[in-house]
């Protein structure tokens, strides 16, 4: 899978944008023709789409959008929903089902929806993910507002902005010291407090691992040493491309499991703790996400209503 040349990538994006504008044409007298926010739903967090008003609403399967890849992961449906959120009827696009690098897609493909949102004039990207807790204070079911990230694959050359720069969107050397908007993080936190949400809300650093394996014990310790509070297989490419396109970002991790960082039981022990104690599984991720989803939906409705 090689990089698509900028000219061809732009042509694909333009085609996708035109196709969506055509589908939106019958909604020209409603707010959804001018979406302001893109919401990317993480594993098991597709329920966020339930906060969109029943009308007006347009659902477009990824397969119907030229150039858009389809999601292959259980818990990721694969459709864009155009709708509104909250009393203020803020027009949003909800991306139910995301595309991951580990599925075999290039970063150009996984971040295509973010570029597409920019072409539709979206101003803010709200990203969610399921993540493993690396910080020992984090428990499954907790939330973490992402304040910073470590792009581990990116530092080794697997970077979403690698290749010719797309000048139409942003600069060659994109700074990332302001990647996660303080205003949006504070707004999210304020709304959660006002709503009386009792679920623990942390803030921390998201460590991007390419996956698809969950981390080994030694990797969990390494991530902890490097400053990661939570680890997951998504989000960072989308965030980088959103910032490169000048969009503001709010990102949230739902801690679905605790990363296992203790040394494995010693070979010299007779009756050790089972080796699979605390082991991560995708089913556990989906179950935990499903439970926390209601709180996330409530806080997002209140937060996005202000955008
Ligand atoms: N590691 C990586 N990605 C994840 C995890 C994890 O433990 N949990 C949910 N997504």
């Amino acid at each position: 899978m090689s990089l698509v040349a900028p000219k061809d990538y732009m042509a694909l994006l333009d085609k996708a944008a035109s196709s969506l504008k055509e589908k939106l044409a019958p909604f020209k007298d409603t707010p959804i023709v001018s979406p302001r926010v893109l919401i990317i739903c993480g594993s098991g967090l597709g329920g966020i789409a339930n906060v969109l008003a029943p009308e007006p609403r347009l659902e477009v399967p990824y397969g119907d959008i030229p150039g858009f890849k389809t999601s292959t992961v259980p818990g990721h449906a694969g459709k864009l929903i155009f709708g509104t959120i909250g009393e203020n009827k803020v027009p949003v696009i909800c991306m139910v089902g995301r595309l991951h690098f580990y599925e075999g897609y290039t970063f150009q493909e996984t971040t295509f929806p973010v570029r597409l949102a920019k072409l539709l004039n979206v101003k803010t990207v709200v990203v969610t993910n399921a993540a493993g807790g690396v910080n020992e204070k984090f428990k499954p079911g907790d939330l973490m507002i992402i304040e910073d990230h470590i792009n581990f694959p990116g530092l080794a050359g697997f970077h979403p902005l690698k290749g010719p720069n797309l000048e139409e969107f942003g600069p060659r050397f994109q700074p990332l010291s302001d990647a996660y908007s303080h205003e949006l993080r504070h707004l999210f936190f304020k709304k959660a407090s006002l709503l009386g949400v009792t679920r623990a809300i942390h803030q921390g650093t998201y460590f991007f691992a390419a996956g698809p394996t969950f981390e080994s014990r030694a990797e969990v310790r390494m991530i902890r040493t490097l400053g990661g509070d939570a680890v997951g297989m998504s989000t960072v490419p989308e965030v980088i491309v959103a910032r490169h396109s000048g969009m503001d970002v709010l990102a949230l991790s739902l801690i679905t499991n605790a990363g296992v960082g203790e040394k494995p039981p010693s070979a010299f022990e007779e009756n050790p703790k089972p080796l699979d104690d605390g082991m991560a599984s995708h089913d556990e991720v989906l179950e935990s996400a499903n439970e926390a989803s209601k709180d996330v939906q409530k806080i997002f409705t209140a937060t996005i209503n202000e955008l």
Side-chain angles (χ1 to χ4, degrees):
M1 274 165 298
S2 50
L3 278 176
V4 177
K7 171 166 83 29
D8 299 333
Y9 192 59
M10 286 310 299
L12 259 183
L13 280 165
D14 285 336
K15 211 165 147 195
S18 302
S19 136
L20 287 177
K21 282 178 189 163
E22 240 170 64
K23 292 180 185 12
L24 283 165
F27 296 86
K28 68 177 174 19
D29 298 325
T30 77
I32 69 168
V33 285
S34 314
R36 284 210 294 278
V37 181
L38 170 69
I39 306 169
I40 304 177
C41 302
S43 287
L45 289 162
I48 292 169
N50 295 337
V51 306
L52 271 59
E55 278 186 6
R57 207 183 233 256
L58 171 69
E59 298 201 7
V60 188
Y62 294 168
D64 291 357
I65 310 168
F68 213 104
K69 298 294 172 187
T70 48
S71 177
T72 65
V73 190
H76 286 265
K79 59 184 175 186
L80 292 185
I81 308 179
F82 292 78
T84 64
I85 287 189
E87 282 170 17
N88 294 337
K89 298 192 186 342
V90 176
V92 305
I93 311 172
C94 195
M95 193 181 157
V96 191
R98 65 143 59 80
L99 308 165
H100 303 84
F101 185 61
Y102 66 72
E103 292 174 81
Y105 296 131
T106 62
F107 284 129
Q108 265 187 336
E109 290 167 336
T110 66
T111 60
F112 188 86
V114 181
R115 300 269 190 218
L116 184 55
K118 176 68 184 181
L119 293 186
L120 296 177
N121 245 332
V122 162
K123 305 286 181 241
T124 305
V125 181
V126 176
V127 195
T128 63
N129 60 58
V134 173
N135 185 316
E136 284 163 303
K137 294 196 185 105
F138 293 6
K139 304 270 176 303
D142 291 357
L143 300 175
M144 182 185 91
I145 302 170
I146 302 181
E147 63 182 11
D148 204 349
H149 71 229
I150 297 174
N151 181 8
F152 202 62
L155 295 174
F158 296 98
H159 196 287
L161 299 182
K162 183 176 171 176
N165 184 47
L166 295 177
E167 294 293 332
E168 296 86 338
F169 287 100
R172 168 78 293 183
F173 299 107
Q174 174 65 38
L176 289 174
S177 51
D178 63 350
Y180 299 88
S181 157
H182 176 268
E183 198 181 327
L184 294 176
R185 285 184 285 125
H186 184 61
L187 180 64
F188 179 92
F189 182 69
K190 217 167 64 185
K191 293 294 177 189
S193 312
L194 284 172
L195 287 163
V197 170
T198 52
R199 189 176 294 279
I201 301 180
H202 310 281
Q203 46 190 338
T205 299
Y206 178 87
F207 186 102
F208 172 43
T213 45
F214 291 115
E215 295 65 40
S216 71
R217 293 162 182 262
E219 285 162 356
V220 170
R221 292 198 298 277
M222 175 198 77
I223 293 168
R224 201 172 278 152
T225 304
L226 292 181
D229 293 297
V231 56
M233 308 174 196
S234 66
T235 299
V236 167
E238 292 113 314
V239 168
I240 290 175
V241 166
R243 292 301 297 145
H244 183 248
S245 313
M247 294 186 279
D248 294 327
V249 170
L250 170 66
L252 182 76
S253 289
L254 165 65
I255 308 300
T256 51
N257 55 287
V260 178
E262 293 159 45
K263 287 263 196 182
S266 160
F268 307 138
E269 255 181 81
E270 200 69 62
N271 291 308
K273 240 170 130 179
L275 193 52
D276 61 2
D277 212 30
M279 190 164 75
S281 79
H282 190 57
D283 287 344
E284 175 193 26
V285 167
L286 293 183
E287 201 183 302
S288 183
N290 193 29
E291 270 178 37
S293 202
K294 292 263 168 350
D295 277 344
V296 175
Q297 289 170 30
K298 266 198 321 201
I299 312 170
F300 272 175
T301 304
T303 305
I304 294 170
N305 189 47
E306 307 274 319
L307 304 182

